[in-house]
């Protein structure tokens, strides 16, 4: 558990930039990696060094373990931060990093593996006294066994993939007659998606909330829970809006959730930042769903209400330093909301959009945080996830936070491609959302109605866009950005800055 001075950030976009910033605040040097599609991305310039790792397809760059390890070796990094997605939850990657003599900034590979197998995770949680959804803790061999388990549990049930997560290979069974064919399709879908076709059975809970608890663990045996996030607003298992705390969680329930979450993390020898996902039934009972053994997209809402920098804590505990979180920080203060600003067209079934961001005016002002991975001039492609930025606001109450989010969403101007912005404005104006009356079916139930509504606040948008286009026209003769940084030697951005006498 050696300390380190230089970190390879094995990711891209907003999370790479987030990690690089944390490194710098922690007094660590950062090395970015980038594919050919990301030469001009903000994360590349933010790092001390940047290493090109290949063609745009992730398999040839951000998922190429050999290239990442070579980039770390060539730049004398002693640690690797995987971010989220890509290689972050692949136990073999964590092992390969360690085998190369580097520190993996994340949990032990054993913890990743234990939680990656959903039935093993259920067995371990059961042993640790964490409530699990009624169902099997071993894979079912065939549809006949699935049928008898369904009879035991009572319909409806869900067939889930043991290697799953994120809803893939999942089938809802409401009638016994549906089971045989659902078993076949779920099995082949799981085999295709994960290389493992095994399925298990769970009792289906109607209209639960998705509540997750942030945990942090250090090498001194300390495991702390930083409360919950409400993540029920999702579309096709992609989260759209998250908040902390949840309106459905009382202090007493928070204590029970936190106890369950720390027991869950402790039972797998966890280290660093992790998230325990729960389903919260309308009856108030909660059940372990799965554990995410990585930093999550929505970590900032927890940071804002707990006053903790989760990424800096990751960097500390990975160096064998104790968590700096004190017991006073274990109470939420105020309320935070995050809207994921994605390059998707809400008026065209959230079709992923491509194109050049011609103009970008991020919101700012009191209580507003803008975590972006792109800037004006960047091209958005289909090679990666459509997340452009996260807009996060804090307020002393949920009502203040909500008003602040509406204000910030109105300030935001994106010209060049459609985004989820106007969907978010509509959710903020929705009485059900305003009451906190949400569950995992929210989007399915109200999405279309929201998008059909006429929305007065959006009238501000055409004017802002016109102003943006005018500003861009006036910049038309401006000098083009410098070329991409070379793998070795000073960054051309730095050279350009020196020429302009504004840096270096
Ligand atoms: C469930 C469930 C109801 N009952 N399990 C969806 C993805 C995967 N992580 C688990 N999921 C669910 N599991 C039982 N036993 C409902 C969902 C679910 C869901 C969960 C969290 C967030 C959004 C969701 C949307 C639809 C279904």
């Amino acid at each position: 558990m050696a300390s380190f001075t230089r970190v390879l950030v094995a990711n891209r976009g907003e999370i790479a930039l987030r990690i690089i910033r944390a490194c710098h605040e922690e007094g660590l040097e950062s090395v970015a990696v980038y594919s050919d599609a990301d030469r001009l991305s903000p994360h590349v310039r933010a790092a001390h060094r940047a290493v090109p790792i290949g063609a745009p397809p992730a398999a040839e760059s951000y998922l190429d373990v050999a290239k990442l390890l070579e980039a770390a070796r060539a730049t004398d990094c002693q640690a690797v931060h995987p971010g989220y997605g890509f290689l972050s939850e692949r136990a073999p990657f964590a092992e390969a990093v360690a085998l190369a003599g580097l520190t993996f900034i994340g949990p032990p590979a054993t913890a990743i593996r234990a939680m990656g197998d959903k039935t093993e995770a259920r067995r371990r949680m059961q042993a640790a006294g964490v409530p699990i959804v009624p169902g099997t803790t071993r894979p079912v061999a065939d549809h006949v066994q699935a049928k008898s388990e369904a009879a035991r549990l009572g319909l409806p049930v869900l067939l889930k993939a043991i290697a799953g997560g994120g809803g893939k290979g999942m089938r809802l069974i409401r009638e016994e007659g549906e089971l045989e064919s659902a078993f076949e399709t779920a099995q082949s879908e799981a085999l295709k998606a994960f290389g493992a076709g095994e399925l298990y059975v769970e009792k289906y809970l109607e209209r639960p909330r998705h509540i997750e608890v942030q945990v942090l663990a250090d090498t001194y045996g300390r495991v702390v829970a930083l409360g919950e996030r409400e993540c029920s607003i999702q579309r096709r298992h992609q989260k759209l809006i998250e908040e902390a705390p949840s309106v459905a969680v009382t202090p007493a329930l928070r204590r029970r959730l936190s106890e369950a979450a720390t027991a869950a993390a402790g039972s797998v020898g966890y280290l660093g930042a992790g998230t325990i996902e729960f389903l919260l039934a309308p009856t108030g009972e909660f059940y372990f769903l799965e554990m995410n053994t990585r930093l999550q997209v929505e970590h900032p809402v927890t940071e804002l209400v707990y006053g903790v920098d989760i990424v800096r804590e990751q960097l500390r505990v990975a160096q064998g330093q104790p968590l700096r979180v004190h017991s006073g920080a274990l109470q939420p203060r105020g309320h935070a909301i995050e809207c994921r600003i994605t390059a998707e067209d809400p008026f065209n079934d959230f079709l992923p959009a491509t194109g050049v961001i011609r103009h970008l005016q991020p919101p700012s002002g009191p209580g507003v945080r803008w975590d972006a991975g792109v800037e004006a001039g960047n091209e958005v492609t289909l090679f990666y996830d459509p997340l452009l930025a996260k807009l996060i606001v804090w307020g002393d109450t949920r009502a203040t936070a909500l008003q602040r989010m509406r204000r910030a969403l109105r300030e935001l101007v994106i010209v060049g491609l459609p985004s989820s912005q106007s969907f978010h404005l509509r959710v903020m104006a929705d009485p059900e959302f305003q009451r906190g009356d949400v569950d995992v079916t929210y989007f399915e139930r109200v999405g279309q109605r929201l998008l059909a509504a006429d929305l007065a606040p959006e009238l501000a948008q055409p004017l802002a866009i016109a102003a943006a286009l005018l500003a861009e026209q006036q910049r038309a003769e401006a000098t083009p950005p410098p070329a991409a940084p070379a793998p070795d030697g000073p960054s051309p951005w730095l050279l350009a800055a020196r020429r302009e006498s504004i840096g270096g």
Side-chain angles (χ1 to χ4, degrees):
M1 193 56 60
S3 67
F4 44 76
T5 58
R6 191 175 294 158
V7 177
L8 187 89
V9 181
N11 214 296
R12 64 178 300 282
E14 69 88 16
I15 201 61
L17 186 53
R18 169 74 188 87
I19 296 161
I20 289 163
R21 285 170 166 160
C23 286
H24 296 183
E25 290 183 20
E26 205 56 35
L28 301 170
E29 289 185 27
S30 61
V31 176
V33 294
Y34 63 98
S35 74
D36 295 343
D38 287 338
R39 286 184 316 126
L40 301 175
S41 295
H43 81 274
V44 176
R45 268 175 295 130
H48 286 95
R49 310 261 316 256
V51 182
I53 51 164
E60 294 170 50
S61 49
Y62 300 105
L63 288 172
D64 187 327
V65 174
K67 280 181 183 156
L68 294 167
L69 293 180
E70 172 54 22
R73 192 204 57 77
T75 55
D76 287 321
C77 288
Q78 305 100 14
V80 176
H81 196 308
Y84 55 65
F86 296 126
L87 296 166
S88 61
E89 293 184 280
R90 306 233 183 134
F93 180 61
E95 286 167 341
V97 167
L99 204 63
L102 308 168
T103 300
F104 179 76
I105 302 175
T110 49
I112 300 177
R113 212 168 256 126
M115 291 302 187
D117 176 332
K118 305 303 165 187
T119 50
E120 182 177 349
R122 281 166 59 77
R123 293 193 296 275
R124 290 197 181 227
M125 293 307 106
Q126 199 167 43
V130 177
I132 59 172
V133 187
T136 68
T137 52
R138 298 275 171 189
V140 285
D142 50 34
H143 75 268
V144 178
Q145 198 188 346
K147 210 168 267 183
S148 79
E149 291 295 343
R152 181 177 68 86
L153 294 163
L155 291 171
V157 296
L158 277 174
L159 289 177
K160 293 187 175 185
I162 69 154
K168 237 183 243 150
M170 193 171 88
R171 284 292 180 287
L172 173 59
I173 315 293
R174 289 202 178 268
E175 319 256 355
E176 196 189 271
E178 298 164 9
L179 219 158
E180 185 169 350
S181 75
F183 192 94
E184 306 303 326
T185 55
Q187 189 170 49
S188 65
E189 194 176 310
L191 193 62
K192 231 179 90 186
F194 314 113
E198 289 105 321
L199 305 175
Y200 66 104
V201 185
E202 271 183 17
K203 175 82 186 159
Y204 178 68
L205 305 176
E206 305 273 1
R207 295 183 66 160
R209 288 174 186 256
H210 176 137
I211 302 281
E212 58 185 33
V213 176
Q214 177 72 56
V215 295
L216 287 171
D218 65 17
T219 52
Y220 303 89
R222 196 149 167 248
V223 186
V224 301
L226 296 180
E228 79 287 357
R229 295 185 284 259
E230 166 69 69
C231 302
S232 294
I233 303 191
Q234 311 201 355
R235 179 187 171 274
R236 300 197 183 156
H237 307 301
Q238 294 298 314
K239 295 172 186 143
L240 296 165
I241 297 170
E242 304 95 344
E243 46 184 306
S246 166
V247 301
V249 175
T250 61
L253 178 54
R254 181 167 303 120
R255 268 194 299 277
R256 290 169 53 221
L257 283 165
S258 296
E259 270 172 38
T262 52
S267 76
V268 291
Y270 205 75
L271 177 67
T275 299
I276 322 291
E277 297 186 347
F278 295 99
L279 292 178
L280 176 62
T283 56
E285 279 130 321
F286 65 84
Y287 306 94
F288 170 84
L289 195 56
E290 44 196 74
M291 179 170 189
N292 300 314
T293 54
R294 54 167 156 80
L295 181 66
Q296 287 199 271
V297 176
E298 60 272 25
H299 75 275
V301 292
T302 300
E303 295 189 319
L304 294 185
V305 295
Y306 283 88
V308 172
D309 186 318
I310 292 170
V311 185
R312 288 187 67 175
E313 293 304 316
Q314 285 188 298
L315 295 170
R316 286 176 57 85
V317 301
Q319 296 181 81
Q321 294 163 357
L323 282 171
R324 262 177 329 181
V325 180
H326 50 95
S327 54
L330 303 179
Q331 287 297 333
R333 185 174 153 263
H335 199 93
I337 306 175
E338 171 176 286
C339 288
R340 296 191 185 189
I341 309 298
T342 60
E344 293 174 310
D345 184 357
F347 300 105
N348 192 5
D349 200 26
F350 283 79
L351 192 74
T354 59
V356 174
I357 302 171
R358 295 187 58 201
H359 184 85
L360 180 61
Q361 174 70 60
S364 59
V368 173
R369 171 168 165 183
W370 175 255
D371 277 19
V374 296
E375 61 193 9
N378 287 167
E379 185 178 1
V380 177
T381 66
L382 296 177
F383 289 112
Y384 316 110
D385 166 295
L387 187 70
L388 297 174
K390 305 183 307 206
L391 173 55
I392 313 114
V393 301
W394 180 89
D396 56 352
T397 65
R398 185 169 186 268
T400 315
L402 207 147
Q403 283 299 44
R404 190 165 269 166
M405 181 59 87
R406 297 179 82 171
R407 185 271 289 174
L409 282 166
R410 287 179 208 141
E411 281 183 17
L412 169 63
V413 179
I414 303 173
V415 180
L417 73 183
S419 83
S420 58
Q421 176 185 14
S422 93
F423 171 76
H424 290 302
L425 269 166
R426 288 154 191 269
V427 174
M428 296 302 132
D430 175 38
E432 278 184 49
F433 177 76
Q434 290 177 357
R435 287 197 303 274
D437 193 1
V438 296
D439 62 65
V440 301
T441 68
Y442 176 85
F443 183 88
E444 271 169 68
R445 289 187 293 108
V446 311
Q448 284 318 303
R449 170 166 64 73
L450 293 183
L451 288 164
D454 187 33
L455 201 65
E458 285 184 281
L459 294 177
Q461 282 295 303
L463 283 179
I465 290 168
L469 289 170
L470 197 67
E472 190 189 61
Q473 221 165 39
Q474 287 164 352
R475 279 198 309 270
E477 314 90 80
T479 46
D488 297 302
S491 158
W493 292 97
L494 185 60
L495 296 177
R498 284 189 186 135
R499 278 198 302 277
E500 304 290 330
S501 327
I502 52 170

